[in-house]
Amino acid sequence: GSCVDVWLALYLTEPTAMSGVSCSSTQALEQHLAKRAGRAAISQALQGLPVPGGLAFSTIELSKGEQEALRAAALSRKLYDALYHDLKKEGLLAPLAEIEMPLVPVIARMEARGMCFDPTVFVRQRAPLQQRLLQLEAKACKAARRDFDLKSPKQVSEVLFNTLKLEPPNNSSRGKSGYYSTSIEVLQEMVGQHPVVDAIVEHRRLAKLEGSLDGMLRTLLAQDPNADRIISNATAAGRGSGG
């Protein structure tokens, strides 16, 4: 039979579910299984196994590590069963089997060996990014006919909803400060309403990229000024971080 990474399956059906999750946590498996199939599914998954919560717990002696591995395997199997319907309904079974899973060993090797890099390339890439960020700031201020800080949620909210009188999305709400949210999710729903919105969205995307490049470079060179290799924690689903 074929092998499936249940965390990749979960990521494909619900990308935000992976935020801050440890893929080695059986507690996280239980939480997602309960969310998808109810708390009873946890007991069903462990039934008959020599692990805490299983009927055969007292009949076979296993180390704590063995129990945890067996528990994780049983919960993963049950969670995949719960995810299968959504994967099939959304046409994600083929991408999971044909794209994501074949990438797992490739990325595992990348994590183990690292990737070569040239610090000067990072430095060169920052200059055009910073220039583009300044251009977007000028473009947004010109379109709004006033100066404001694109990094300030308060000022962005004031410009969009008070100065320009744009209609906030239905899912947007006022915070304690009295200003509407200007999260990236809110702004993406407003793309096309006004040039200011488009400029702010692109500015946030590039500012995040510029910050990532800068942070990665500083971290790597702080660890080893002569470093020429990145050891990265990543997954085939596209999430990763230098470390």
Side-chain angles (χ1 to χ4, degrees), residues 46-218:
L46 302 177
Q47 188 174 11
L49 296 179
V51 298
L55 296 179
F57 178 47
S58 60
T59 62
I60 301 177
E61 290 188 7
L62 295 176
S63 69
K64 186 175 181 180
E66 291 171 331
Q67 291 176 23
E68 195 72 5
L70 189 56
R71 185 183 185 89
L75 292 169
S76 296
R77 172 73 252 188
K78 195 70 175 178
L79 178 56
Y80 179 73
D81 290 342
L83 292 170
Y84 182 84
H85 175 74
D86 288 342
L87 289 166
K88 185 175 182 180
K89 179 181 177 181
E90 297 174 25
L92 295 172
L93 286 174
L96 176 62
E98 299 170 12
I99 299 175
E100 298 291 352
M101 287 307 301
L103 282 175
V104 170
V106 176
I107 292 181
R109 290 195 296 270
M110 289 171 61
E111 289 182 352
R113 300 174 185 175
M115 299 175 288
C116 293
F117 83 105
D118 183 349
T120 61
V121 173
F122 281 76
V123 175
R124 288 199 303 269
Q125 290 296 327
R126 285 185 62 199
L129 275 176
Q130 291 171 334
Q131 183 179 4
R132 180 56 180 161
L133 287 170
L134 291 174
Q135 291 173 347
L136 288 167
E137 289 170 9
K139 179 180 179 181
C141 290
K142 182 179 180 180
R145 297 184 178 181
R146 56 163 287 185
D147 291 336
F148 69 102
D149 184 359
L150 274 67
K151 301 184 186 72
S152 168
K154 179 179 177 180
Q155 292 186 34
V156 169
S157 181
E158 184 178 341
V159 166
L160 296 182
F161 306 117
N162 294 341
T163 303
L164 299 176
K165 307 295 183 184
L166 298 181
E167 190 70 23
N170 293 331
N171 64 343
S172 179
S173 59
R174 293 182 185 271
K176 293 181 179 179
S177 62
Y179 290 89
Y180 279 106
S181 169
T182 57
S183 68
I184 190 62
E185 292 80 13
V186 169
L187 293 176
Q188 284 175 336
E189 288 193 37
M190 297 176 64
V191 167
Q193 284 192 32
H194 196 283
V196 171
V197 178
D198 300 356
I200 294 172
V201 169
E202 185 179 356
H203 184 277
R204 287 203 182 172
R205 179 178 62 83
L206 294 181
K208 183 176 181 180
L209 176 59
E210 195 270 339
S212 298
L213 287 173
D214 182 60
M216 182 180 292
L217 182 60
R218 288 177 183 272

